[in-house]
Amino acid sequence: MEIFYIEDGQLDAYLFHEGTYYKSYEFLGAHKIDDGVRFVVWAPNALEVYLMGDFNSWEENDLPFKKIENSGLWNICISNIKEYDSYKYRIISKDKKELIKSDPYAFHAETRPNTASKYYDIKGFKWTDNKWIKNKSESYHKPVSIYEVNLMSWKRKEDNSPYSYRELADELVSYVKEMNYTHIELMPIMEHPHDGSWGYQITGYFAPTSRFGTPKDFMYFVNKCHNSGIGVILDWVPVHFCKNDYGLIKFDGTNCFESENKRLAENEQWGTLNFDFSKPEVLSFLISNALYWHDYYHIDGLRVDAVAYMLYLDFGGKKLKNKYGGRENLDGIEFIKKLNMEVFKNYPYTMMIAEESTAWPLVTQPIDKGGLGFNFKWNMGWMNDMLKYMELDPYFRKGSQKALTFSITYAFSENYVLPLSHDEVVHGKKSLLNKMPGSYEEKFSNLRLLYLYMYAHPGKKLVFMGGEFGQFIEWNEWQGLDYFLLDYEMHKKMQIFVKELNKLYKRESCLYEEDTSYDGFEWIEHTNHQESIIAFERIDSHGDKLIAVFNFTPIERKSYPIGVTEEGTFKTLINSNHKRYGGKIKRVKSYKSTNEPMHGRKYSIRVDLPSLGGLYLKLRRDDQ
């Protein structure tokens, strides 16, 4: 075995330590070179570093690293490594302790419970998604309907084993396409030790988990999504990392990725360690990682987890202040801005979605206008209000009308995604269907009503897997969804409803084109507390209008007056209580306007409002 060392890594080391090496994954980690494979690792306070693996029978001392001059980076090059060879770093700390670590920049890893990194040549996949990439543009004025998925539990085989990336490329992608969703959002697929963490406690930021196959298998999955017209969003966790001893924790015996200040480093809520955003090397690591998933996997966006923990020093209940006496995490805020600037500089049409649960202003505004630079934010307020409202006995909803209407007062302050996410259907919160009050049939009616209202409300859409057919029990990450429920009429009809609602949403520009402006929304009726009825218009960029009317009580309202601005016949685009979807309405009606003024409008129509249901209506044009 030939051993040699690089002589020209000073510029790479300089940029990495400066915090601006946003392609650091091209240098650190294991990379093929002409004469073998080069390994580079950051261990600034180590006394010694050794490479060991399959290629040297895991001998501890015969492959010593050499430090790159004037840096905290170590390197070694060897000649006889093969793809899929497992390896680790043996680090001797400054207090002479031995640490056995996996590679923070590894592209591939052993499958849990094994913990070694694997050498893998990341290059060479034959992409066929050029048309998708070429046609990408901004998402503000497009339909975005996201299907959120946990790959371990979307569907299981008969022996309870999960599907592979390549099997999911057939099974999951075809299902999402059939259901008319525009995007898949994957809960974190970066390598992690514990299935029960759902991927949110990571050990391998640059490695798609080997639970489902190789990195190129995951590329195959993304490629299949794109060729099926489906975008791919990844959950991404730049806030914290797990404490497994082979991971990032005290990487060289000292706090490299975490703060030296224990109170800043500890994340008690999750039993993890927070990244230290004041360290330039951490910025190089994390921003590189965000770009890496775009560069090598062609992803279409990142949903950035737990942004509030990056914005506030005291978010987890700690009594910490910044140097000015405030609660803001100044380093975290700067990291977020640098992250978004760099990502959008390279990928202007990607989606950077903040999962941010506070009232921090201007999250989705440009940085030069005082914002954080994301282009979308989860609307947690809408989600919390709507779920609390829908769980009420319908006869008592009249006292909570504000829960329906308040979200419009801030709907355009940010560019929102409306989420009904995994967090709402676990830990005793019950499934969406089982949250709904009433009889068996009323539960389905309420859930259809919630979806109908959600799709009309300004903002992009996200629904967690299983919600589309009315999963009855709450989500269990250890087993697949209950697809046997589709043998039952009401669940099958719920699935048909969501499928057709997605199709209608993509077809009707009124429902998505003006999601970020009051130009796209106008109230018709929002003060009818007693009958729990609301109505509004959604308007597209050409002034075309769609009327959405909702009845949140179990009492049918015949000939209910709705003000309209134009004369003509209004056709029903969808009625959530139609028999096709599990309701009682056998046929949809059209409604002709009269000269009777109503709701400040010159004309009106009188519609039959179904119990626990709603309608989308649209003026029939001569060409329709």
Side-chain angles (χ1 to χ4, degrees):
M1 179 188 300
E2 183 182 356
I3 302 172
F4 53 101
Y5 301 94
I6 59 175
E7 304 294 339
D8 57 350
Q10 283 78 19
L11 178 58
D12 299 278
Y14 172 79
L15 294 174
F16 179 72
H17 291 309
E18 189 184 51
T20 59
Y21 199 1
Y22 301 142
K23 302 283 186 178
S24 61
Y25 52 84
E26 294 180 348
F27 184 64
L28 283 89
H31 294 272
K32 186 177 182 180
I33 56 176
D34 290 341
D35 299 318
V37 175
R38 179 193 71 218
F39 294 82
V40 178
V41 62
W42 178 47
N45 298 302
L47 290 181
E48 301 169 68
V49 180
Y50 296 90
L51 178 66
M52 56 184 189
D54 293 340
F55 38 80
N56 75 332
S57 300
W58 294 89
E59 288 292 331
E60 294 184 346
N61 297 306
D62 62 349
L63 295 176
F65 278 71
K66 180 180 178 181
K67 211 168 192 181
I68 296 174
E69 188 176 356
N70 299 319
S71 81
L73 299 179
W74 300 72
N75 84 97
I76 189 173
C77 307
I78 62 173
S79 58
N80 71 332
I81 191 168
K82 301 186 299 294
E83 192 161 41
Y84 300 111
D85 274 352
S86 296
Y87 68 95
K88 280 192 175 182
Y89 300 137
R90 177 174 172 262
I91 298 173
I92 307 302
S93 67
K94 61 184 179 181
D95 58 359
K96 305 291 182 66
K97 291 182 179 178
E98 178 187 74
L99 305 167
I100 307 299
K101 294 288 187 176
S102 60
D103 184 353
Y105 280 86
F107 295 143
H108 195 23
E110 291 183 326
T111 305
R112 52 89 177 96
N114 296 325
T115 60
S117 303
K118 288 192 172 200
Y119 169 64
Y120 188 86
D121 187 356
I122 196 77
K123 298 178 180 178
F125 180 78
K126 303 298 183 185
W127 289 92
T128 61
D129 64 346
N130 290 342
K131 183 178 179 182
W132 173 271
I133 299 297
K134 184 179 179 181
N135 290 334
K136 286 180 74 168
S137 60
E138 56 79 20
S139 301
Y140 300 123
H141 308 295
K142 288 183 174 181
V144 176
S145 176
I146 303 167
Y147 187 62
E148 188 192 20
V149 176
N150 174 269
L151 292 183
M152 283 296 290
S153 58
W154 175 71
K155 186 181 283 189
R156 294 275 188 138
K157 299 178 184 177
E158 288 188 8
D159 63 357
N160 204 38
S161 63
Y163 284 75
S164 70
Y165 290 125
R166 288 180 179 266
E167 290 167 334
L168 288 161
D170 295 326
E171 293 275 340
L172 174 59
V173 174
S174 61
Y175 179 75
V176 171
K177 183 178 182 180
E178 180 188 354
M179 290 298 296
N180 295 308
Y181 289 99
T182 65
H183 291 73
I184 294 173
E185 181 177 318
L186 302 178
M187 293 168 71
I189 56 94
M190 300 78 186
E191 196 58 79
H192 55 282
H194 179 45
D195 295 357
S197 77
W198 310 335
Y200 288 97
Q201 297 189 12
I202 296 171
T203 50
Y205 272 80
F206 291 84
T209 178
S210 58
R211 288 166 172 81
F212 314 114
T214 69
K216 286 176 185 171
D217 291 336
F218 183 58
M219 293 176 190
Y220 179 89
F221 173 85
V222 177
N223 194 56
K224 186 71 174 284
C225 285
H226 288 172
N227 286 324
S228 300
I230 298 165
V232 179
I233 300 166
L234 301 184
D235 274 18
W236 188 58
V237 190
V239 177
H240 63 121
F241 55 90
C242 62
K243 292 181 175 182
N244 293 55
D245 58 7
Y246 64 91
L248 300 181
I249 181 173
K250 290 189 176 295
F251 190 76
D252 64 0
T254 64
N255 292 16
C256 293
F257 292 89
E258 65 271 39
S259 174
E260 287 78 10
N261 182 332
K262 185 176 181 181
R263 295 181 69 207
L264 289 172
E266 289 288 339
N267 191 316
E268 291 89 353
Q269 180 175 350
W270 292 311
T272 55
L273 292 170
N274 296 317
F275 280 105
D276 184 351
F277 302 115
S278 71
K279 294 178 177 176
E281 296 85 357
V282 170
L283 301 191
S284 288
F285 177 81
L286 288 173
I287 296 176
S288 288
N289 189 244
L291 290 172
Y292 163 80
W293 292 101
H294 288 83
D295 288 347
Y296 279 116
Y297 295 95
H298 293 200
I299 65 158
D300 304 288
L302 293 172
R303 177 266 200 187
V304 182
D305 186 58
V307 170
Y309 277 91
M310 294 186 278
L311 294 176
Y312 299 100
L313 292 169
D314 61 354
F315 189 74
K318 299 178 182 179
K319 295 181 179 179
L320 294 169
K321 302 289 184 182
N322 61 37
K323 62 184 179 180
Y324 302 111
R327 56 191 293 248
E328 299 82 10
N329 184 345
L330 303 178
D331 293 318
I333 293 164
E334 285 306 305
F335 161 69
I336 290 170
K337 292 179 179 180
K338 288 178 181 177
L339 166 71
N340 285 324
M341 284 177 63
E342 199 61 32
V343 169
F344 284 116
K345 184 169 75 176
N346 287 273
Y347 296 96
Y349 301 129
T350 195
M351 298 176 73
M352 292 294 286
I353 306 168
E355 190 259 320
E356 201 284 304
S357 55
T358 75
W360 187 280
L362 307 180
V363 172
T364 58
Q365 289 300 305
I367 292 162
D368 59 5
K369 294 184 179 179
L372 292 179
F374 292 99
N375 56 355
F376 289 97
K377 172 184 174 177
W378 273 20
N379 193 336
M380 311 289 274
W382 173 86
M383 178 185 71
N384 291 329
D385 285 349
M386 276 310 301
L387 291 179
K388 287 179 182 176
Y389 180 84
M390 294 304 298
E391 288 183 81
L392 292 172
D393 184 313
Y395 288 101
F396 298 102
R397 287 173 176 169
K398 61 185 178 182
S400 299
Q401 185 90 343
K402 185 179 177 181
L404 287 177
T405 60
F406 179 67
S407 58
I408 298 300
T409 66
Y410 63 86
F412 309 106
S413 61
E414 303 279 6
N415 305 321
Y416 282 117
V417 174
L418 308 180
L420 294 173
S421 74
H422 65 275
D423 276 330
E424 304 311 309
V425 294
V426 289
H427 302 323
K429 295 180 181 178
K430 299 186 289 190
S431 68
L432 287 180
L433 181 63
N434 214 15
K435 290 178 192 286
M436 301 297 114
S439 66
Y440 179 79
E441 290 78 11
E442 286 173 334
K443 284 180 178 292
F444 283 93
S445 295
N446 272 300
L447 186 56
R448 293 193 304 269
L449 176 57
L450 171 61
Y451 287 149
L452 195 75
Y453 175 66
M454 174 187 186
Y455 275 68
H457 191 288
K460 310 310 179 186
K461 325 301 176 188
L462 178 145
V463 175
F464 185 58
M465 63 183 198
E468 77 279 9
F469 62 80
Q471 173 90 359
F472 236 124
I473 63 170
E474 65 179 24
W475 171 50
N476 181 347
E477 67 266 29
W478 307 109
Q479 64 186 47
L481 298 177
D482 290 337
Y483 286 101
F484 69 85
L485 291 173
L486 292 172
D487 294 335
Y488 295 86
E489 180 183 21
M490 292 299 288
H491 293 274
K492 185 62 180 177
K493 288 185 173 182
M494 172 63 75
Q495 186 189 48
I496 292 170
F497 174 72
V498 173
K499 176 181 177 179
E500 295 188 1
L501 183 59
N502 270 324
K503 184 177 181 179
L504 176 64
Y505 169 65
K506 291 196 292 185
R507 188 184 76 217
E508 291 293 337
S509 57
C510 298
L511 292 172
Y512 60 79
E513 231 179 41
E514 294 294 329
D515 265 339
T516 62
S517 165
Y518 276 110
D519 293 339
F521 180 92
E522 187 169 334
W523 279 116
I524 298 173
E525 168 66 275
H526 62 87
T527 60
N528 189 349
H529 297 234
Q530 289 299 318
E531 295 177 304
S532 299
I533 292 172
I534 61 170
F536 54 78
E537 290 176 326
R538 292 301 311 277
I539 308 161
D540 71 11
S541 60
H542 301 289
D544 202 15
K545 298 178 180 180
L546 180 149
I547 296 172
V549 192
F550 307 94
N551 174 16
F552 289 90
T553 70
I555 301 169
E556 184 182 14
R557 307 290 179 181
K558 291 280 191 180
S559 298
Y560 189 87
I562 298 292
V564 296
T565 57
E566 297 178 84
E567 287 186 288
T569 299
F570 289 77
K571 62 180 179 178
T572 301
L573 301 180
I574 192 169
N575 182 323
S576 69
N577 206 22
H578 194 276
K579 200 169 184 179
R580 175 172 173 77
Y581 307 135
K584 298 178 181 178
I585 305 299
K586 293 183 179 179
R587 67 180 185 88
V588 296
K589 293 183 178 180
S590 295
Y591 301 95
K592 188 172 178 58
S593 66
T594 66
N595 291 326
E596 180 185 5
M598 182 64 60
H599 299 131
R601 288 160 164 78
K602 190 174 180 180
Y603 311 102
S604 63
I605 54 177
R606 288 189 170 268
V607 303
D608 293 339
L609 278 183
S611 61
L612 295 174
L615 312 169
Y616 293 171
L617 304 163
K618 199 170 185 183
L619 180 66
R620 180 178 285 123
R621 304 292 182 182
D622 292 337
D623 58 347
Q624 294 177 330

